[in-house]
Amino acid sequence: MSDLPARRLLLVHAHPDDESINNGATMAKYAAEGAQVTLVTCTLGEEGEVIPPHLARLASDRDDALGPYREVELVEAMKQLGVTDHRFLGGPGRFRDSGMMGVEQNDREGALWATEIDEAAGHLVEVIREVRPQVLVTYDPNGGYGHPDHIQTHRVAMRAADLAAEPDFRPELGDPWEIAKVYWNRVPRSVAIEGFARLREALAEPRGLPFTKIASVIDIPGVVDDWIVTTEIDGSAFASAKAAAMRAHATQIAVAEPFFALSNELAQPLFTTEYYELVRGRREGGGRETDLFEGVEGNVSATGRNGTGL
Ligand SMILES: [Zn+2]
């Protein structure tokens, strides 16, 4: 285990693109600092809508070829963020995109939504015991905005965090590992409101933004009252890496910095400071944390701050 970097961050997401939208700046920052950044994506995003007209054939109701295409987009996005460890839960295509809430794809065999939590979590336990992350980032219980795959990803990630620490749970998957800190993705309401004000101003100017319609605060996943946010990561030095990673997901995202739109064509702000709620683990001091590993490195030092002895 001595070759593991001292700081190890695990992010668990539903589809390719979610990581870049939610955590792109955070991932680029920690990767640049030499931390181990591991991304686990639960599905290939096969049911996503396709933005570029010339790629429309990829959609699931036509050639159903979007999954492998998004795999390649994710590879390029990770290159932009400097992240080398990205995996699909159980391997590429093991769990399928469940579509939006209420569609028949929800219950299809192999859909993430139709999978037993512990079955899916077992695959993540294996990753956790291998990588031994001190920090886990995922969604809130509503998946940020109610998409079945995002809700299920939350459940799988939280369950896997528990099971990984359980010595009796499938010991063949590795030695038990307890994750010190667990975070949910958040956006403070004031930041979202301010971002839309900026966007409305920009749209009013003749600066050629490729958007005509605008989203609203309720369209942003994970928006909460400011006091709920415990942690903010200033990734502004990695703004261009984040935008490039989002741009790599071209079937899903249209980017015009510092704004973007998904397939609904509703423009929204692109945040380069990313926000989190610490839901498990100790928080030092009263103000917002500015580092996901705050308080962790002290613990790490007991067994070797520089990665020796881990
Ligand atoms: Zn998603």
Side-chain angles (χ1 to χ4, degrees):
M1 293 298 167
S2 58
D3 53 349
L4 288 173
R7 298 189 299 167
R8 301 178 301 276
L9 167 63
L10 171 66
L11 304 102
V12 184
H13 276 290
H15 312 111
D17 81 351
D18 293 316
E19 79 297 325
S20 297
I21 298 169
N22 286 281
N23 313 110
T26 302
M27 293 170 74
K29 174 182 185 292
Y30 282 108
E33 290 176 3
Q36 166 91 16
V37 178
T38 300
L39 169 68
V40 174
T41 308
C42 293
T43 79
L44 296 177
E46 295 94 332
E47 298 295 324
E49 289 176 42
V50 178
I51 295 176
H54 72 281
L55 294 173
R57 295 203 59 79
L58 296 171
S60 63
D61 58 354
R62 295 182 68 182
D63 291 353
D64 194 18
L66 187 54
Y69 196 91
R70 292 184 72 176
E71 254 189 281
V72 177
E73 290 183 334
L74 182 60
V75 168
E76 177 59 26
M78 292 304 96
K79 213 175 284 176
Q80 297 297 337
L81 299 180
V83 170
T84 53
D85 187 12
H86 51 99
R87 315 165 185 214
F88 286 94
L89 188 68
R94 177 69 181 76
F95 300 105
R96 187 170 164 120
D97 189 326
S98 313
M100 301 301 280
M101 190 63 91
V103 302
E104 64 180 23
Q105 288 93 323
N106 293 175
D107 306 314
R108 178 158 51 188
E109 198 185 336
L112 186 65
W113 184 246
T115 301
E116 290 287 335
I117 300 292
D118 281 12
E119 187 204 329
H123 294 284
L124 190 55
V125 167
E126 193 173 1
V127 176
I128 291 170
R129 288 180 178 173
E130 177 201 327
V131 174
R132 307 171 105 202
Q134 296 104 340
V135 177
L136 167 68
V137 170
T138 191
Y139 313 114
D140 67 32
N142 188 40
Y145 72 111
H147 189 296
D149 290 329
H150 286 241
I151 294 171
Q152 195 79 329
T153 294
H154 159 85
R155 293 173 180 167
V156 168
M158 299 303 286
R159 179 70 175 148
D162 287 339
L163 291 175
E166 205 46 69
D168 295 337
F169 179 78
R170 300 184 58 187
E172 77 278 10
L173 297 180
D175 294 335
W177 180 257
E178 184 161 358
I179 298 172
K181 300 177 88 176
V182 177
Y183 290 94
W184 295 341
N185 289 306
R186 292 300 191 194
V187 177
R189 196 176 313 281
S190 68
V191 170
I193 290 170
E194 189 275 330
F196 278 109
R198 218 164 15 90
L199 174 54
R200 272 189 298 272
E201 262 171 46
L203 278 174
E205 289 167 20
R207 51 179 273 190
L209 280 177
F211 310 118
T212 51
K213 297 180 285 182
I214 186 165
S216 58
V217 170
I218 57 162
D219 297 313
I220 307 288
V223 170
V224 287
D225 292 342
D226 291 22
W227 65 267
I228 291 173
V229 173
T230 58
T231 310
E232 62 178 76
I233 303 301
D234 179 359
S236 48
F238 299 90
S240 58
K242 175 171 182 168
M246 289 173 64
R247 206 170 263 122
H249 293 290
T251 60
Q252 306 300 308
I253 312 175
V255 180
E257 292 170 74
F259 309 108
F260 73 100
L262 301 173
S263 61
N264 59 16
E265 297 178 6
L266 300 174
Q268 52 179 293
L270 192 167
F271 300 114
T272 53
T273 295
E274 295 166 341
Y275 300 88
Y276 302 90
E277 177 185 359
L278 179 69
V279 295
R280 192 178 294 178
R282 209 156 43 90
R283 180 173 159 196
E284 316 261 306
R288 272 188 196 165
E289 299 174 317
T290 55
D291 177 7
L292 298 174
F293 292 89
E294 223 167 278
V296 163
E297 283 162 297
N299 300 336
V300 169
S301 71
T303 44
R305 174 183 283 266
N306 300 315
T308 57
L310 278 179

